[in-house]
Amino acid sequence: MNILLAEDEPKIRQGLRAIIEDVVKNELRILEADNGKTAFEMFRTSERMDLVITDIRMKEMDGLELLRRIKQEQKDTPIVVISGHDEFEYAREALRYGVMDYLLKPIERVELARVLARIQAEGKGGPAGDESPEPDKERLVIRKVKELIQQSLEQEISLQFLAERVYLHPKYLSETFKRETGQNLSDYVTERRIAKARQLLSGTTLKVAEVAAMCGIPNHKYFASLFKQHTGATPTEYRERG
Amino acid sequence: MLPSRLFPTFVSLRTKMLVLFCLMVTVPFLLSGAITYSKYSARAAKDAQAYSDQLAEQVAINLERYIQELERITLSLYYDDNALDILTRHDGGFRTGNYLASDESFKMNQLISSAIYERTEVAGVFIFALDGSLFSNLQETSKSSWLPQENEWMREAEADDGGLTVLPPASSPNYLTNVPEVASIARLIKNPYTNAKLGFVKVDLTSSGFEKILSSVRITENSKLYIFNRNGEMIYPFDSNQEGLAAGNPEEEALNDRLRQDGRTLVSERETGYGGLRIMGIIPRSDLQKDARELISFILWISLASLLAAYLISVLASNQLVKPIRSLYMKMKRVQNGELGERAPIMTNDEIGLLTAGFNGMVAQLDKNIKEIYELGIREKQAELSALQSQINPHFLYNTLESISMAAGRDRQDELSRVISSLGKLLRYTVNRQESKVTLREELDFVENYLSIQSFRLEDRLRADIRVDFSHESVLVPKLLLQPLVENAIEHGMGSKPLTLTLTTKADEQDLLIRIEDDGRGIGPERLNQIERILAEVEPIRAESVSGTGNREKGFALRNIHRRLRILYGESYGLSLDKSRTQGAAVHVRIPFQWGES
């Protein structure tokens, strides 16, 4: 995997390299540049890059300019921006050039690791295999979580609640679920709840408020709003339509 | 409005002015009226008295002349020898049925007629001879003889011994027909030489003679003149009964008595120098007071009219005076209620105008001062913030943190790296104040970052348990709502034992309840009450609390959140403390269930 790293501060550059080395175990080649100009030179002269990670503020040539040029040169190169700036202007411009992700300093190891994993997966055209030493066990956990959610739709479901029952750290559970299913845990829970609501609305004559309560969303107005977001119809409309 | 101790009842300025105005008008008017009345009527009485005295004098003179003229009729006999002869011839003893010789009668008649020529008021003149013969100028209508019992007056005339006797009005018996009511003058006729008694002469007078004299004399409408003779018998007017006086002598005394008794009349009396007649003029006081009464009623009407005018003027004037005061009072009330932008318009250029201007100046100064203090506070904060922002620019800050994090990461200090990352996020979240409401998820992320840093510091002594239903994560909450509460819980709950924080949410009808509890030291009942009191305070957050001591700020942190929630959502929302707990503490946040429509 070829990665171009453009960052003017050597400490950060070294740190990033360390993280990348932690995540990507094989066939890794990292090119480092301390400004945009050097980075662009490297990009043009060396072989095809699988990922470009760049800071925004750098001497000679800044990150945005670098982005623009790389996109001109080779449109489909994945780029990740790491910046201390979260000003809207920067982010918008970066997004216009089609960056893959926009990470804010100080970055969390996990965030960067996730991005790397995604690129690796896309590059191989399937889920990364070498990263999960016990894939079966992982899938088992996900299945357990999904079962738990299905059983608990009526009550409150919090990340903590699920994490306790599968003996995992909440954050880790959340990450794992996202990685395994490509979906946020909270989105999954809401989806299941709405699915149950559809069932109840078409299959029973329970009142909307009762359906809402049975789907773990006691505030029926909020429930109606969520329901409409997911199905395009209010619960009443949905029921009338059959 | 006013302290009731000093002013028992509220009397408006208008009422006071009204009363004052009315008093100012009525009192002088009535006083001057009363004085004028008494002075005027006294003066009028005095004038009338003088006038009537003068008139009585005049009447007396006229009357005297009149009597003298009449007397000349009686005296004419003395200068007529024929008459004296005839009377001498008839001075024999008295008998009845005398025959009057026609020449004698003719002569007498001629004599009398010439004497009373053109005196129409004279009803008749009779000459009484001693033998009972009666001569007269009236040939057909008079008797030719007289009887002593019918002519009582002769004794009186005899007593006068040739002097003039004035007789009160009576029906004369000496007429044959048409007996008239006449007053008379009579006298004894004596022989000018021998002084022997020859007979009597009597001139009968109708009232027209007196009337002629008195008619020209009239003092007031109801004034009256009376004429009495020497004996006090009434000569004029003839009909004494008309005056309500009992006929008989002496009428003058009776009248005098009556007049003195009722005291309602002015009396003037005069005696003629000749004939012994007395003239009495009577003026009823009511006549005199008539003018004064008219004057007084005139004054009363004027004072009534001016009273009315004064009332109107005072109403207008008090309006003019009271209106600006009222409007000023209203403005003061509004300022009292905190509307410091209020100014009162200056309507008059007088003391009230000055007062209003003073009020405006005072409020303006007050407003300015408050704004200055308030703005100063804000400006200071802004200055602080911009100083902070300019000195530590984000790029520098975050890059520094990133360097440290990376250095830590390189040395396998993963925990340190994580904490630095959390700190960066914490800073970012705090500084970015663009939106006032965020999703509960964002807020919880912030709290988790905060907790991550705190657990790094406190190690095993802090545990956190966040149980929030996935559906609650998209509820909108005020930004920076939870972290101060968590901080507060750690600050106050942390003792020697490890502390477990639990954050849970619950939907309650249309509200969302967030509960932050700990199993720490708990809050003593005293402190609990104190916090409750702080929460219940209605006063707005003052500038001083911002710069207060650290210890104070802890209590105020709760109050500030509480007030913020109430301002955002209403009185039924905010913070409350769970008082039922015996161990640890629990804070409840109640906010309405709101979510962003996407």
Side-chain angles (χ1 to χ4, degrees), chain A residues 9 11 14-15 22 57 84 86 105-108 111 156-158 160 164 186 189 193 219 222 225, chain B residues 395 398-399 402-403 406 410 412 425 428 432 465-471 474 505 510 593 595:
Chain A
E9 289 195 34
K11 267 227 166 69
Q14 286 162 24
D22 276 355
R57 265 212 211 181
D86 61 343
K105 283 181 188 171
I107 56 164
E108 226 173 323
E111 286 171 27
E156 288 189 357
I157 307 171
S158 64
Q160 187 87 22
E164 276 168 8
S186 72
V189 172
R193 280 172 165 165
N219 187 311
Y222 178 54
S225 169
Chain B
H395 186 252
Y398 297 127
N399 269 338
E402 181 70 7
S403 301
M406 287 306 162
R410 201 188 49 206
R412 299 284 153 212
K425 285 191 175 119
R428 207 185 290 283
N432 265 2
D465 205 358
I466 296 175
R467 294 169 183 278
V468 173
D469 184 87
F470 288 110
S471 72
S474 43
T505 58
Q510 298 308 312
F593 208 107
W595 60 92

Side-chain angles (χ1 to χ4, degrees), chain B residues 53 110 120 136 172 175 212 308 395 407 426 453 464:
Chain B
D53 284 355
Q110 218 170 18
T120 52
S136 165
S172 175
Y175 296 85
K212 209 160 140 200
L308 213 71
H395 186 252
L426 209 72
I453 294 167

Side-chain angles (χ1 to χ4, degrees), chain B residues 268-279:
Chain B
S268 317
E269 280 187 281
R270 276 289 174 286
E271 201 164 340
T272 55
Y274 188 81
L277 290 179
R278 295 172 66 80
I279 292 139

Side-chain angles (χ1 to χ4, degrees), chain B residues 200-244:
Chain B
F200 297 93
V201 62
K202 179 167 172 266
V203 181
D204 286 351
L205 300 164
T206 60
S207 60
S208 65
F210 294 104
E211 275 160 11
K212 209 160 140 200
I213 293 166
L214 299 181
S215 65
S216 60
V217 180
R218 199 175 188 81
I219 307 163
T220 63
E221 202 182 338
N222 295 314
S223 65
K224 287 210 174 61
L225 275 172
Y226 301 93
I227 303 169
F228 301 95
N229 67 4
R230 209 162 34 209
N231 301 332
E233 292 159 324
M234 192 182 277
I235 306 300
Y236 180 88
F238 280 13
D239 190 0
S240 61
N241 289 329
Q242 244 176 16
E243 306 304 311

Side-chain angles (χ1 to χ4, degrees), chain B residues 321-579:
Chain B
L321 191 69
V322 169
K323 226 170 94 187
I325 294 180
R326 283 232 138 236
S327 103
L328 190 60
Y329 175 68
M330 289 300 163
K331 294 289 178 193
M332 276 181 182
K333 272 225 112 122
R334 302 187 71 157
V335 169
Q336 210 176 357
N337 291 336
E339 293 173 44
L340 290 173
E342 281 296 335
R343 295 289 180 279
I346 297 173
M347 291 188 277
T348 51
N349 189 18
D350 56 11
E351 284 86 343
I352 293 169
L354 289 178
L355 192 67
T356 312
F359 167 77
N360 284 346
M362 193 180 75
V363 174
Q365 191 62 40
L366 198 66
D367 196 19
K368 199 175 136 221
N369 286 351
I370 287 174
K371 272 191 187 140
E372 263 172 17
I373 291 166
Y374 189 72
E375 271 172 18
L376 206 67
I378 291 174
R379 290 245 172 79
E380 274 171 10
K381 291 272 160 263
Q382 274 173 348
E384 267 172 43
L385 199 69
S386 62
L388 221 69
Q389 276 173 344
S390 62
Q391 279 166 21
I392 306 170
N393 74 58
H395 186 252
F396 169 75
L397 181 71
Y398 297 127
N399 269 338
T400 308
L401 286 174
E402 181 70 7
S403 301
I404 300 166
S405 168
M406 287 306 162
R410 201 188 49 206
D411 300 342
R412 299 284 153 212
Q413 294 270 7
D414 287 354
E415 197 186 12
L416 189 63
S417 167
R418 203 180 63 242
V419 167
I420 290 163
S421 165
S422 291
L423 182 62
K425 285 191 175 119
L426 209 72
L427 284 170
R428 207 185 290 283
Y429 187 80
T430 317
V431 171
N432 265 2
R433 281 185 184 258
Q434 270 141 10
E435 64 279 276
S436 63
K437 281 183 190 170
V438 295
T439 63
L440 183 58
R441 183 69 259 161
E442 289 174 89
E443 188 66 8
L444 287 173
D445 282 343
F446 178 59
V447 168
E448 278 167 7
N449 281 322
Y450 174 75
L451 285 170
S452 144
I453 294 167
Q454 284 286 32
S455 16
F456 175 69
R457 283 174 56 210
L458 301 165
E459 300 191 326
D460 287 343
R461 290 166 64 207
L462 179 66
R463 275 181 12 88
D465 205 358
I466 296 175
R467 294 169 183 278
V468 173
D469 184 87
F470 288 110
S471 72
H472 296 166
E473 286 178 358
S474 43
V475 171
L476 291 179
V477 298
K479 194 174 172 180
L480 298 175
L481 165 72
L482 299 176
Q483 183 273 332
L485 298 176
V486 170
E487 184 179 349
N488 195 60
I490 295 170
E491 200 81 30
H492 290 97
M494 186 58 77
S496 48
K497 287 190 296 172
L499 184 76
T500 304
L501 276 179
T502 313
L503 194 154
T504 52
T505 58
K506 209 180 115 198
D508 179 24
E509 303 275 305
Q510 298 308 312
D511 298 342
L512 180 72
L513 292 179
I514 304 171
R515 181 181 166 91
I516 296 153
E517 60 178 318
D518 63 71
D519 56 355
R521 286 180 300 173
I523 309 168
E526 205 173 297
R527 175 74 184 146
L528 208 63
N529 286 335
Q530 192 193 340
I531 292 172
E532 290 233 302
R533 212 169 47 244
I534 288 171
L535 291 186
E537 270 175 36
V538 280
E539 275 170 63
I541 302 150
R542 288 179 192 281
E544 58 183 84
S545 71
V546 178
S547 55
T549 61
N551 199 20
R552 267 177 78 123
E553 259 190 272
K554 289 294 177 300
F556 281 105
L558 288 186
R559 194 182 79 170
N560 286 355
I561 291 168
H562 180 63
R563 282 211 51 86
R564 208 171 134 216
L565 292 177
R566 294 184 83 159
I567 289 164
L568 275 173
Y569 302 120
E571 296 293 292
S572 51
Y573 297 100
L575 295 187
S576 60
L577 294 170
D578 189 346
K579 288 170 89 175

